[in-house]
Amino acid sequence: MKVELQHLTKIFPSRDKKGKDVVAVSDFTFSIPDGELIGLLGPSGCGKSTTLYMLSGLEKPTGGKIFFGDDDVTDLPAENRGVGLVFQNYALYPHLTVEQNIRFPLENRKGVGKLTKAQIAEKVLEAAKLVQIDGLLHRKPSELSGGQQQRVAIARALVKMPKVLLLDEPLSNLDARLRLQTREEIRRIQKKTGITTVFVTHDQEEAMSISDRIVVMCAGVLQQIGKPQEVYDDPVNLFVAKFLGTPPINMFRGRVEGEQLFIGGDAVLRVPGVRDGVVSVGIRPEGFIPEEDGPLLCKLHNVEVMGRDVSIVAENDAAEAPLIRAIIQSDTRLNRQADTVRFRLKPHKVLLFEPETGARLRFGEEERHG
Ligand code: ADP
Ligand code: MG
C-alpha cells in the first residue's frame, strides 16, 4: 500500500496561556512507495511520534492530508485504517497469555471481518511463527524476555494483516545485542510480508541499516529523504551531515581563496566553483589518507586498533572539537611514534557548508559528474 503525506502539519496549543504553540510537524510532503520500509529519523522531540500517530489515526492533523493508495484517510478513525502499531513499551496485556495477546485484535469482529475459531487459531500461529515465538504461546508476558515481549507485540500488529505497519522506537527497551538481532528480524519479516512500514527511531545507525529510505527530520521540519547511502554521501545541510555517521563527521573552520580550500594555513583541496570566504568544512572519518607529504598537518594524539580498521585520533587548531578521528585500513603504513601526522583528503568525503545557515556548498560538480 502506497502512503502519501501532503502538507501534513500538527500544531499543539501551548499548555499555558502565555506559552507559544508547538509546531510538532510542519508541512510534510512525501510519499512512501508500496512495500518499502521507511526510517523516520531525528533527535528526540523533532515530531517523529506525532507523524506516526497522524498516520495511524490516533492524532488528528492540524492541516494537510494522508492517502493510503488512492483513498484519503485523513478523517478515517484509527480502527478503520488497517494499520498495525508497535510502541517502544510492548504494552501487552499482562493477564493474557502470548496466544491470547496475539489473538486479541481478531476477536469481537463483526460482519464481513468475522472469523471462525479455526481461522483465528491459524492466523495466530502464522503470526507467531513469523516472529519465531510459536513455542511460547502459553506463557504470560512476565515469563518472557524483553525481546520476546517485543516479538509478541509485533505478532499482534501483524495478525490483522495490516496495510501499513507503524513502529515507534520498537527496539529502545532492548539491550544492544537483542536490538541488533530484533532489527534484522523486523527487516526479514517486512521483506517477507511486503507490508509498507514506517520505522521511527532517533538512532541513525539503526535507521541506516534497516531502511529502504530514510526521512531525516529536525524540529518538525523535513530535512532530507533518500536512500541511506545517498543521504550519507550527499547531505543537503550541516544538520543532516552531523546527524548521520559513526564516528561523526569531523568539523573544521575553513576558508576558500581562489578555489583553494584552506584549513588553518594548509591548502588542503581544490574546490572549483566555491566563492572566496569563510566556510564550515566537514570531513568524514574515512576521508583522510595518511601520507608523508599530505597537505593537512595534525598533531597525532593516539592510534586505536579496532580489528579491521585503525582509528587515528589527532588534533588541529582549526577543528571545532578538541579531537578529530580518521578511520583508515589496518594495513596502511603509519609511524605511530611520530608527534604529527599528515593527511591527503578524499574530495568526495569533504563537505562544505555556509557557516551561518548550514546550507551545503557544492564544488567540482562538473568534474565529478560530467
Ligand atoms: P519525537 O517522537 O520525535 O521525540 P514528538 O512527536 O513526540 O517527538 O513531539 C514533537 C513535539 O511536539 C515536541 O516538542 C513535544 O513536546 C510536542 N508534543 C507532543 N505531543 C504533545 C501534546 N500532546 N501536547 C503538546 N505538545 C506535544
Ligand atoms: Mg517519539
Side-chain angles (χ1 to χ4, degrees), residues 77-369:
E79 60 272 22
N80 298 342
R81 285 197 192 185
V83 297
L85 256 176
V86 178
F87 298 100
Q88 172 176 344
N89 50 352
Y90 328 115
L92 301 175
Y93 301 107
H95 58 288
L96 300 183
T97 63
V98 168
E99 198 258 335
Q100 291 164 331
N101 263 286
I102 301 174
R103 202 173 66 197
F104 195 82
L106 298 180
E107 289 179 337
N108 308 316
R109 280 196 181 181
K110 297 195 179 74
V112 272
K114 196 167 164 52
L115 300 168
T116 65
K117 277 211 165 112
Q119 283 171 321
I120 290 178
E122 189 186 338
K123 281 184 186 290
V124 168
L125 190 63
E126 204 180 315
K129 274 188 179 156
L130 204 56
V131 301
Q132 297 171 351
I133 46 156
D134 45 312
L136 307 172
L137 286 173
H138 300 293
R139 291 206 195 165
K140 292 276 176 67
S142 61
E143 297 164 330
L144 301 177
S145 72
Q148 290 167 336
Q149 290 185 45
Q150 193 57 302
R151 282 163 195 243
V152 177
I154 294 168
R156 191 176 56 184
L158 288 172
V159 78
K160 293 176 288 184
M161 279 296 153
K163 295 179 208 148
V164 181
L165 182 63
L166 305 170
L167 307 164
D168 193 0
E169 314 238 10
L171 309 179
S172 302
N173 287 349
L174 307 181
D175 66 44
R177 182 188 290 264
L178 253 180
R179 202 150 61 218
L180 205 74
Q181 197 185 329
T182 312
R183 91 179 179 209
E184 283 164 7
E185 189 86 336
I186 289 175
R187 184 53 167 161
R188 182 184 64 76
I189 294 164
Q190 193 272 332
K191 279 207 165 132
K192 195 165 169 195
T193 57
I195 298 175
T196 308
T197 300
V198 182
F199 184 101
V200 162
T201 177
H202 63 273
D203 181 335
Q204 56 93 22
E205 211 173 347
E206 198 167 282
M208 297 270 284
S209 64
I210 200 175
S211 310
D212 292 306
R213 241 173 268 244
I214 55 172
V215 176
V216 186
M217 321 173 33
C218 174
V221 179
L222 199 154
Q223 305 291 307
Q224 191 168 1
I225 175 163
K227 293 194 175 128
Q229 191 68 43
E230 286 169 9
V231 180
Y232 177 83
D233 287 340
D234 201 6
V236 293
N237 61 30
L238 186 56
F239 173 83
V240 175
K242 281 185 170 174
F243 199 70
L244 300 184
T246 28
I249 194 163
N250 299 286
M251 294 305 305
F252 298 83
R253 291 174 296 275
R255 183 169 46 84
V256 174
E257 254 178 61
E259 300 198 325
Q260 188 63 246
L261 173 65
F262 288 85
I263 291 178
D266 300 332
V268 295
L269 195 69
R270 255 179 44 73
V271 288
V274 182
R275 266 188 277 164
D276 288 2
V278 176
V279 292
S280 287
V281 186
I283 307 175
R284 292 283 183 203
E286 67 276 20
F288 298 89
I289 304 165
E291 260 179 23
E292 255 170 51
D293 54 356
L296 179 64
L297 176 65
C298 295
K299 203 171 144 204
L300 184 59
H301 193 269
N302 66 301
V303 177
E304 295 167 8
V305 180
M306 310 179 297
R308 185 167 46 90
D309 296 326
V310 168
S311 176
I312 302 178
V313 184
E315 292 170 44
N316 184 291
D317 287 341
E320 285 179 8
L323 295 173
I324 58 170
R325 191 174 282 271
I327 307 283
I328 58 165
Q329 284 176 337
S330 57
D331 54 3
T332 311
R333 278 185 48 207
L334 191 69
N335 178 3
R336 292 170 193 220
Q337 265 60 57
D339 295 327
T340 59
V341 56
R342 284 186 167 277
F343 295 109
R344 180 161 62 83
L345 304 177
K346 298 181 191 165
H348 62 287
K349 293 292 180 184
V350 178
L351 307 170
L352 301 187
F353 305 94
E354 233 173 67
E356 266 94 66
T357 63
R360 179 87 181 277
L361 294 168
R362 293 169 191 280
F363 60 89
E365 294 289 308
E366 300 87 51
E367 288 175 35
R368 239 190 276 181
H369 300 299

Side-chain angles (χ1 to χ4, degrees), residues 10-15 22-25 41-53 59 168-169 200-202 217 220:
K10 180 71 187 184
I11 300 169
F12 290 110
S14 68
R15 290 196 174 100
V22 178
V23 183
V25 174
L41 174 65
S44 176
C46 74
K48 303 181 295 294
S49 295
T50 304
T51 306
L52 204 75
Y53 298 160
E59 196 79 75
D168 193 0
E169 314 238 10
V200 162
T201 177
H202 63 273
M217 321 173 33

